[in-house]
Amino acid sequence: NDVGEVLAYLAEVGIANRTLVVFTGDNGPALGHEVLGGDQGPLKCGKGTTWEGGMREPGIMWWPGVIQPDTLSYAIVNTMDIFPTALSLAGGAPPADLVLDGFDLTDLITGKSQQGPRDHVFYYSGKYLMAARLNQYKLHYYTMGSHCHDEYPDVDCRGSTKLQAHDPPLLFDLASDPKERNPMKVAQYTTVVEAIQSLVSKHNATMTFAPPQIGVDNSHDNYPCCNPSCKPRPTCCRC
Protein backbone atom coordinates (compact mmCIF):
# COMPACT_ATOMS: atom_id res chain seq x y z
CA ASN A 1 0.00 0.00 0.00
CA ASP A 2 2.80 2.43 0.89
CA VAL A 3 4.52 1.98 -2.47
CA GLY A 4 1.17 2.39 -4.24
CA GLU A 5 0.56 5.67 -2.42
CA VAL A 6 3.93 7.01 -3.56
CA LEU A 7 3.27 6.06 -7.19
CA ALA A 8 -0.23 7.51 -7.05
CA TYR A 9 1.10 10.80 -5.69
CA LEU A 10 3.71 11.04 -8.46
CA ALA A 11 0.91 10.66 -11.00
CA GLU A 12 -1.29 13.15 -9.15
CA VAL A 13 1.33 15.90 -9.24
CA GLY A 14 2.20 15.15 -12.87
CA ILE A 15 5.81 13.97 -12.55
CA ALA A 16 5.42 10.20 -12.93
CA ASN A 17 6.77 10.20 -16.48
CA ARG A 18 9.98 11.94 -15.40
CA THR A 19 10.60 10.03 -12.18
CA LEU A 20 12.55 6.80 -11.85
CA VAL A 21 11.34 4.70 -8.91
CA VAL A 22 13.61 1.93 -7.64
CA PHE A 23 12.37 -0.77 -5.27
CA THR A 24 15.06 -2.96 -3.72
CA GLY A 25 16.59 -3.96 -0.39
CA ASP A 26 19.91 -3.88 1.43
CA ASN A 27 20.18 -7.56 2.41
CA GLY A 28 18.37 -10.87 2.41
CA PRO A 29 15.81 -12.07 4.96
CA ALA A 30 16.63 -12.41 8.66
CA LEU A 31 15.95 -16.14 8.83
CA GLY A 32 16.19 -16.16 12.62
CA HIS A 33 12.85 -14.32 12.71
CA GLU A 34 11.28 -17.03 10.54
CA VAL A 35 8.15 -15.78 8.71
CA LEU A 36 8.56 -12.22 10.00
CA GLY A 37 12.14 -12.11 8.73
CA GLY A 38 11.29 -12.69 5.09
CA ASP A 39 11.73 -15.46 2.55
CA GLN A 40 14.76 -16.00 0.32
CA GLY A 41 12.88 -18.34 -2.01
CA PRO A 42 15.21 -20.95 -3.52
CA LEU A 43 18.39 -19.06 -2.65
CA LYS A 44 20.83 -20.23 0.02
CA CYS A 45 20.89 -18.67 3.51
CA GLY A 46 19.95 -15.06 4.31
CA LYS A 47 20.93 -11.80 5.97
CA GLY A 48 24.48 -11.55 7.26
CA THR A 49 25.92 -14.12 4.87
CA THR A 50 27.50 -13.78 1.44
CA TRP A 51 25.56 -16.69 0.01
CA GLU A 52 23.07 -15.53 -2.64
CA GLY A 53 20.17 -15.52 -0.16
CA GLY A 54 21.98 -12.89 1.87
CA MET A 55 23.07 -10.66 -0.99
CA ARG A 56 20.74 -11.00 -3.97
CA GLU A 57 17.76 -8.63 -3.79
CA PRO A 58 14.65 -7.81 -5.78
CA GLY A 59 15.40 -5.07 -8.30
CA ILE A 60 12.22 -3.44 -9.54
CA MET A 61 12.27 -0.20 -11.53
CA TRP A 62 9.29 1.90 -12.64
CA TRP A 63 9.35 4.79 -15.09
CA PRO A 64 6.19 5.25 -17.20
CA GLY A 65 6.94 5.89 -20.85
CA VAL A 66 10.56 4.83 -20.49
CA ILE A 67 10.57 1.35 -18.98
CA GLN A 68 8.08 -0.83 -20.81
CA PRO A 69 5.73 -3.05 -18.78
CA ASP A 70 6.84 -6.68 -18.26
CA THR A 71 10.45 -5.85 -19.13
CA LEU A 72 12.84 -8.43 -17.68
CA SER A 73 16.61 -8.06 -17.48
CA TYR A 74 19.26 -10.57 -16.48
CA ALA A 75 21.97 -7.92 -16.21
CA ILE A 76 24.09 -7.82 -13.06
CA VAL A 77 23.21 -4.69 -11.06
CA ASN A 78 24.44 -3.48 -7.66
CA THR A 79 22.83 -0.92 -5.35
CA MET A 80 26.05 1.10 -5.69
CA ASP A 81 24.95 1.71 -9.29
CA ILE A 82 21.95 3.77 -8.17
CA PHE A 83 23.95 6.89 -7.26
CA PRO A 84 25.89 7.30 -10.55
CA THR A 85 22.69 6.49 -12.47
CA ALA A 86 20.68 9.14 -10.63
CA LEU A 87 23.52 11.61 -11.08
CA SER A 88 23.62 10.96 -14.82
CA LEU A 89 19.84 11.20 -15.25
CA ALA A 90 19.90 14.53 -13.42
CA GLY A 91 22.51 15.85 -15.85
CA GLY A 92 25.30 15.86 -13.30
CA ALA A 93 28.74 14.29 -13.14
CA PRO A 94 30.95 13.25 -10.21
CA PRO A 95 34.09 15.25 -9.44
CA ALA A 96 37.04 14.16 -11.55
CA ASP A 97 38.97 12.97 -8.50
CA LEU A 98 36.11 10.90 -7.08
CA VAL A 99 36.34 7.15 -7.67
CA LEU A 100 32.92 5.47 -7.74
CA ASP A 101 32.32 1.76 -7.31
CA GLY A 102 29.01 2.01 -9.17
CA PHE A 103 28.13 2.14 -12.87
CA ASP A 104 25.70 4.30 -14.81
CA LEU A 105 22.69 2.14 -15.75
CA THR A 106 20.97 4.74 -17.94
CA ASP A 107 21.34 2.82 -21.23
CA LEU A 108 20.11 -0.38 -19.61
CA ILE A 109 17.10 1.32 -18.00
CA THR A 110 16.09 3.21 -21.12
CA GLY A 111 16.43 0.14 -23.34
CA LYS A 112 19.33 1.46 -25.40
CA SER A 113 21.35 -1.57 -24.31
CA GLN A 114 20.37 -5.06 -23.19
CA GLN A 115 23.79 -5.60 -21.66
CA GLY A 116 24.51 -3.77 -18.43
CA PRO A 117 27.86 -2.08 -17.80
CA ARG A 118 28.69 -4.39 -14.87
CA ASP A 119 30.00 -7.95 -15.26
CA HIS A 120 31.28 -8.48 -11.73
CA VAL A 121 30.39 -8.13 -8.05
CA PHE A 122 32.55 -8.29 -4.94
CA TYR A 123 30.92 -9.78 -1.85
CA TYR A 124 32.08 -8.21 1.40
CA SER A 125 31.38 -8.84 5.06
CA GLY A 126 32.61 -5.68 6.75
CA LYS A 127 36.11 -5.12 5.36
CA TYR A 128 36.58 -8.76 4.40
CA LEU A 129 36.27 -9.88 0.80
CA MET A 130 34.36 -13.15 1.06
CA ALA A 131 33.54 -13.94 -2.56
CA ALA A 132 33.63 -12.54 -6.08
CA ARG A 133 31.42 -13.00 -9.13
CA LEU A 134 32.34 -12.62 -12.80
CA ASN A 135 29.43 -13.06 -15.20
CA GLN A 136 27.60 -16.20 -14.01
CA TYR A 137 30.51 -17.63 -12.03
CA LYS A 138 30.94 -17.02 -8.29
CA LEU A 139 34.01 -17.92 -6.23
CA HIS A 140 33.73 -18.19 -2.42
CA TYR A 141 36.97 -17.63 -0.53
CA TYR A 142 35.25 -17.61 2.86
CA THR A 143 31.76 -18.44 4.12
CA MET A 144 29.97 -18.20 7.46
CA GLY A 145 26.48 -18.35 8.90
CA SER A 146 24.49 -15.52 10.48
CA HIS A 147 21.06 -14.45 11.81
CA CYS A 148 19.75 -17.99 11.97
CA HIS A 149 18.90 -20.45 14.77
CA ASP A 150 20.77 -23.72 15.24
CA GLU A 151 17.78 -25.82 14.20
CA TYR A 152 17.82 -24.40 10.69
CA PRO A 153 18.13 -27.29 8.19
CA ASP A 154 21.10 -25.84 6.27
CA VAL A 155 24.11 -25.90 8.60
CA ASP A 156 25.93 -23.31 6.46
CA CYS A 157 23.30 -20.71 7.41
CA ARG A 158 23.26 -21.21 11.18
CA GLY A 159 24.52 -18.44 13.43
CA SER A 160 26.86 -20.91 15.12
CA THR A 161 28.63 -21.68 11.84
CA LYS A 162 31.91 -19.80 12.12
CA LEU A 163 34.06 -18.25 9.44
CA GLN A 164 35.47 -20.94 7.18
CA ALA A 165 38.25 -20.49 4.63
CA HIS A 166 38.04 -22.49 1.40
CA ASP A 167 41.23 -23.60 -0.32
CA PRO A 168 40.60 -24.15 -3.11
CA PRO A 169 37.70 -21.70 -3.20
CA LEU A 170 34.14 -22.89 -3.83
CA LEU A 171 33.09 -22.26 -7.43
CA PHE A 172 29.44 -22.09 -8.54
CA ASP A 173 27.71 -21.43 -11.85
CA LEU A 174 24.82 -19.20 -10.75
CA ALA A 175 23.11 -19.56 -14.13
CA SER A 176 22.58 -23.30 -13.68
CA ASP A 177 22.88 -23.49 -9.89
CA PRO A 178 21.49 -20.30 -8.27
CA LYS A 179 20.85 -22.30 -5.07
CA GLU A 180 24.63 -22.82 -4.67
CA ARG A 181 24.14 -26.50 -3.95
CA ASN A 182 26.72 -28.11 -6.24
CA PRO A 183 30.30 -26.75 -6.17
CA MET A 184 32.12 -27.17 -9.46
CA LYS A 185 35.49 -28.89 -9.74
CA VAL A 186 37.92 -25.98 -9.68
CA ALA A 187 40.62 -27.98 -11.47
CA GLN A 188 38.34 -28.32 -14.50
CA TYR A 189 37.61 -24.58 -14.70
CA THR A 190 41.05 -23.06 -14.27
CA THR A 191 40.40 -20.38 -16.91
CA VAL A 192 37.33 -19.16 -15.01
CA VAL A 193 39.11 -19.23 -11.66
CA GLU A 194 42.15 -17.40 -13.02
CA ALA A 195 39.93 -14.69 -14.53
CA ILE A 196 38.21 -14.11 -11.18
CA GLN A 197 41.51 -14.22 -9.32
CA SER A 198 42.93 -11.59 -11.67
CA LEU A 199 39.88 -9.38 -11.13
CA VAL A 200 40.22 -9.72 -7.34
CA SER A 201 43.95 -8.93 -7.45
CA LYS A 202 43.34 -5.72 -9.39
CA HIS A 203 40.53 -4.79 -7.01
CA ASN A 204 42.67 -5.38 -3.91
CA ALA A 205 45.50 -3.33 -5.36
CA THR A 206 43.31 -0.24 -5.73
CA MET A 207 40.82 -0.68 -2.88
CA THR A 208 40.76 2.13 -0.30
CA PHE A 209 38.35 1.85 2.62
CA ALA A 210 36.46 5.01 3.51
CA PRO A 211 35.63 5.78 7.15
CA PRO A 212 32.31 4.21 8.23
CA GLN A 213 29.47 6.71 8.09
CA ILE A 214 26.98 4.86 10.31
CA GLY A 215 26.77 6.60 13.63
CA VAL A 216 29.39 9.25 12.78
CA ASP A 217 27.05 12.14 13.51
CA ASN A 218 23.36 11.56 14.00
CA SER A 219 22.48 15.18 14.70
CA HIS A 220 19.38 16.54 12.98
CA ASP A 221 21.53 19.16 11.23
CA ASN A 222 22.82 16.44 8.92
CA TYR A 223 19.37 15.21 7.90
CA PRO A 224 18.10 16.04 4.39
CA CYS A 225 15.87 19.12 4.51
CA CYS A 226 14.03 20.98 1.76
CA ASN A 227 14.61 24.23 3.68
CA PRO A 228 18.31 23.99 4.67
CA SER A 229 18.47 27.26 6.61
CA CYS A 230 15.43 26.62 8.84
CA LYS A 231 15.50 26.06 12.60
CA PRO A 232 14.79 23.94 14.55
CA ARG A 233 15.26 20.75 12.63
CA PRO A 234 13.67 18.38 11.82
CA THR A 235 10.28 19.97 12.66
CA CYS A 236 10.87 22.94 10.35
CA CYS A 237 11.58 20.75 7.33
CA ARG A 238 8.16 21.06 5.78
CA CYS A 239 7.75 22.31 2.23
Side-chain angles (χ1 to χ4, degrees), residues 107-186:
D107 286 351
L108 179 66
I109 292 171
T110 57
K112 293 180 180 179
S113 172
Q114 300 301 312
Q115 183 70 36
R118 174 185 291 278
D119 63 0
H120 65 276
V121 174
F122 298 109
Y123 296 72
Y124 273 88
S125 179
K127 288 188 176 182
Y128 301 99
L129 181 62
M130 305 285 284
R133 174 180 177 177
L134 177 61
N135 297 316
Q136 76 265 35
Y137 296 105
K138 181 180 178 183
L139 202 62
H140 286 270
Y141 298 101
Y142 301 91
T143 57
M144 66 179 183
S146 181
H147 293 276
C148 197
H149 53 74
D150 285 343
E151 289 74 38
Y152 194 77
D154 192 334
V155 176
D156 292 336
C157 309
R158 296 176 182 177
S160 59
T161 299
K162 304 302 181 183
L163 181 70
Q164 181 180 1
H166 299 284
D167 187 15
L170 301 178
L171 178 65
F172 294 93
D173 183 342
L174 297 180
S176 61
D177 183 23
K179 299 179 181 180
E180 297 175 287
R181 295 289 189 263
N182 304 298
M184 304 163 69
K185 294 182 179 180
V186 171

